[in-house]
Amino acid sequence: MSEPFSVPVTVRGYETDVQGHLNQSVYLNYAEHARWSLLRAAGITQAGLIGSGVGPVALETTIRYLRELLAGDEVEVSCGFEWGEGKTFRIQQTIRKKDGTVAAEITAVGGLMDLTARRLVPNPGEVLKGLATDPGLL
């Protein structure tokens, strides 16, 4: 797995549920934000992906909720890719409070789809690294 990249996020009040906890669906938004932030830092944009004829697809996502998050909490959302040899890859993410407490762990399985053939491309890690200006982040 690559060294985890992370982005800061502050929990906003409108993202919470009636009990004052971060709504379950927002964890996915935070994870997606960290993923795209990592790709941008590596030099890959959404337009660049589409222009190259591929697009990311989510195949599976698992979230383990470990501690509550409340409005105003400041967290770091990490993102690290695990590249395999097939058409899919894993993304490991952690949402951690400022004090180091792990609030959630997110594991996702994804791939890159050829937008013309509508099929997953082989070796998605190599494709992404080939599009990156800083492939070391991946």
Side-chain angles (χ1 to χ4, degrees):
M1 186 171 92
S2 62
E3 186 66 30
F5 173 90
S6 66
V7 294
V9 176
T10 301
V11 176
R12 295 165 289 260
Y14 63 82
E15 297 172 326
T16 60
D17 60 21
V18 70
Q19 297 142 339
H21 303 136
L22 184 65
N23 182 282
Q24 63 184 353
S25 66
V26 179
Y27 287 82
L28 291 172
N29 290 337
Y30 288 3
E32 189 76 2
H33 173 64
R35 291 175 199 164
W36 280 109
S37 294
L38 171 52
L39 290 175
R40 272 193 317 275
I44 300 171
T45 64
Q46 288 177 324
L49 280 172
I50 299 302
S52 70
V54 297
V57 292
L59 302 170
E60 176 184 315
T61 303
T62 303
I63 304 172
R64 292 187 63 222
Y65 304 100
L66 301 168
R67 295 288 182 267
E68 67 182 356
L69 290 175
L70 306 171
D73 282 347
E74 295 179 10
V75 298
E76 288 285 327
V77 184
S78 70
C79 183
F81 287 90
E82 293 179 357
W83 305 107
E85 295 186 18
K87 294 181 179 183
T88 64
F89 53 87
R90 289 192 177 278
I91 303 170
Q92 299 289 346
Q93 297 184 264
T94 302
I95 299 177
R96 190 179 309 274
K97 293 181 176 187
K98 285 282 190 179
D99 68 3
T101 302
V102 175
E105 296 171 333
I106 302 161
T107 303
V109 177
L112 281 181
M113 182 169 41
D114 178 312
L115 299 175
T116 302
R118 308 304 287 178
R119 300 270 186 239
L120 293 179
V121 301
N123 300 313
E126 294 307 312
V127 173
L128 283 176
K129 289 174 185 175
L131 295 171
T133 57
D134 188 356
L137 290 173
L138 302 171

